[in-house]
């Protein structure tokens, strides 16, 4: 029988599946449910310094091939998630997870949030979210390569615990080259790609209106729509980043085959967002069964035998 065990930053997980930050992770109750699910691990809601209600409703809508959202970073604040992370780490040291951190105010808030974590008792992995596309009037940090360089330089001047970054999708080969050149300067443990494709628009055919309220209907696109873009980003960054920087593949994972393709492109762990929102926590049991069936059919004993082994037509 093949194994779906995944090794990520020195830990071995039963399988590579996680939630994507923003889905089923707002409260400690939801995080407890994730920890008890068939997922290999989980990530918390991206936390800002202060609690935020986020954008007005409706701000998330499931559509035919995925979802559109403009959530606006709703969360219960960094102290809430950090306090829970410290307790959870102490009580369940054998269940490592990822704490996600964002910023609403920009550069200085990113630095202050990371400084607070550095000074805390939490020693686990942190995901620094540089890619929230759904805050009105706020740009995505990771699309500014110079500012991303400055931010990581400032954080690494004092931060000694393990962390990685969550990235937006890139669409140009030159941009893959540029972001990799920035990230390769630092001792990052992972990159997570991709966040949703920003500023899409979906129209209700019955009403001829947009379907979400914030930003005039513009929102991040997730689900089946984004899988080719997600796979390209996983593949491109795997080819360009230092081998020590692992990849979390996120975007368009609906089936075990989708998960297999992310792994084939070089991902070590996988995050599920839209399909988790649509299907609930049972999605992880289904995905593990489907992925296991693919390994059996192909004669693989483990993920390590094919991870990153995507073929080309050269």
């Amino acid at each position: 029988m093949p194994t779906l065990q995944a090794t990520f930053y020195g830990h071995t997980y039963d399988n590579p599946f996680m939630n994507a930050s923003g889905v089923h992770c707002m409260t400690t109750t939801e995080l407890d449910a994730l920890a008890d699910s068939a997922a290999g691990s989980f990530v918390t809601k991206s936390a800002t310094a202060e609690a935020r209600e986020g954008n007005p409703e409706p701000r998330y809508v499931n559509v035919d091939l995925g979802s559109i959202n403009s959530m606006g970073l709703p969360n219960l604040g960094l102290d809430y998630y950090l306090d829970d992370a410290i307790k959870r780490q102490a009580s369940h040291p054998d269940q490592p997870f990822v704490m996600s951190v964002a910023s609403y105010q920009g550069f200085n808030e990113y630095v202050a949030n990371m400084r607070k974590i550095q000074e805390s008792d939490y020693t686990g992995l942190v995901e620094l979210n540089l890619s929230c596309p759904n805050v009105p009037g706020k740009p995505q940090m990771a699309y500014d390569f110079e500012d991303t360089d400055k931010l990581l330089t400032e954080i690494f001047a004092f931060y000694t615990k393990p962390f990685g970054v969550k990235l937006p999708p890139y669409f140009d080969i030159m941009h893959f080259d540029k972001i990799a050149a920035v990230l390769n300067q630092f001792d990052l443990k992972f990159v997570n790609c991709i966040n949703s494709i920003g500023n899409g628009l979906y129209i209700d055919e019955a009403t001829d209106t947009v379907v979400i309220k914030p930003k005039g209907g513009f929102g991040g696109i997730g689900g089946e729509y984004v899988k080719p873009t997600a796979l390209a980003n996983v593949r491109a960054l795997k080819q360009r980043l230092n081998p020590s920087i692992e990849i979390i593949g996120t975007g368009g994972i609906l089936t075990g085959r989708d998960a297999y393709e992310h792994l084939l492109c070089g991902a070590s762990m996988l995050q599920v967002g839209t399909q988790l929102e649509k299907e609930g926590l049972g999605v992880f049991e289904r995905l593990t069964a489907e992925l296991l069936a693919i390994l059996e059919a192909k004669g693989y004993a483990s993920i390590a035998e094919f991870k990153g082994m995507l073929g080309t037509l050269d």
Side-chain angles (χ1 to χ4, degrees), residues 115-251:
R115 193 176 296 278
K116 178 173 279 192
I117 298 171
Q118 172 65 28
E119 295 170 354
S120 77
D121 290 333
Y122 178 66
T123 58
L125 283 170
V126 167
E127 173 188 276
L128 188 65
N129 186 348
L130 303 180
S131 58
C132 183
N134 301 314
V135 178
K138 304 290 182 180
Q140 294 192 57
M141 171 66 73
Y143 280 150
D144 187 320
F145 303 112
E146 184 175 340
D147 273 2
T148 297
D149 192 339
K150 290 178 180 177
L151 177 63
L152 292 176
T153 298
E154 177 130 354
I155 290 172
F156 271 99
F158 65 85
Y159 198 85
T160 61
K161 300 174 183 180
F163 80 99
V165 294
K166 186 170 186 178
L167 298 176
Y170 297 100
F171 303 97
D172 192 286
I173 295 297
M174 180 180 68
H175 293 155
F176 292 137
D177 293 340
K178 285 189 172 183
I179 191 61
V182 171
L183 300 181
N184 279 335
Q185 299 175 88
F186 303 99
D187 185 26
L188 291 166
K189 304 308 177 188
F190 67 91
V191 300
N192 182 358
C193 50
I194 58 173
N195 206 329
S196 58
I197 297 178
N199 296 313
L201 192 73
Y202 193 89
I203 297 172
D204 186 325
E205 64 182 39
T207 63
D208 288 348
T209 65
V210 299
V211 296
I212 57 174
K213 186 173 182 178
K215 297 170 61 177
F218 286 79
I221 302 298
E224 190 173 350
Y225 295 111
V226 310
K227 189 181 81 167
T229 299
L231 293 176
N233 276 256
V234 171
R235 171 71 164 174
L237 290 175
K238 185 63 178 178
Q239 291 174 318
R240 288 164 174 79
L241 292 175
N242 296 332
S244 60
I245 302 177
E246 298 192 76
I247 307 284
I248 298 176
T250 306

Side-chain angles (χ1 to χ4, degrees), residues 52-79:
R52 286 183 46 76
E53 291 186 5
N55 292 338
E57 302 276 2
R59 59 192 185 187
Y60 178 98
V61 174
N62 288 321
V63 295
D64 290 344
L65 298 179
S67 62
I68 183 169
N69 86 88
S70 182
M71 300 298 291
L73 283 173
N75 71 96
L76 299 175
L78 179 58
D79 288 345

Side-chain angles (χ1 to χ4, degrees), residues 257-302:
R257 175 66 201 189
D258 299 326
Y260 177 81
E261 291 178 6
H262 269 268
L263 296 166
L264 199 62
C265 286
S268 295
M269 296 291 283
L270 308 170
Q271 291 186 357
V272 183
T274 295
Q275 197 60 29
L276 171 58
E277 178 66 29
K278 289 185 174 184
E279 191 172 333
L281 292 173
V283 69
F284 294 117
E285 187 172 356
R286 177 179 63 79
L287 288 173
T288 53
E290 291 177 2
L291 181 57
L292 192 63
I294 291 172
L295 266 67
E296 289 183 292
K298 291 181 174 291
Y300 291 124
S302 69

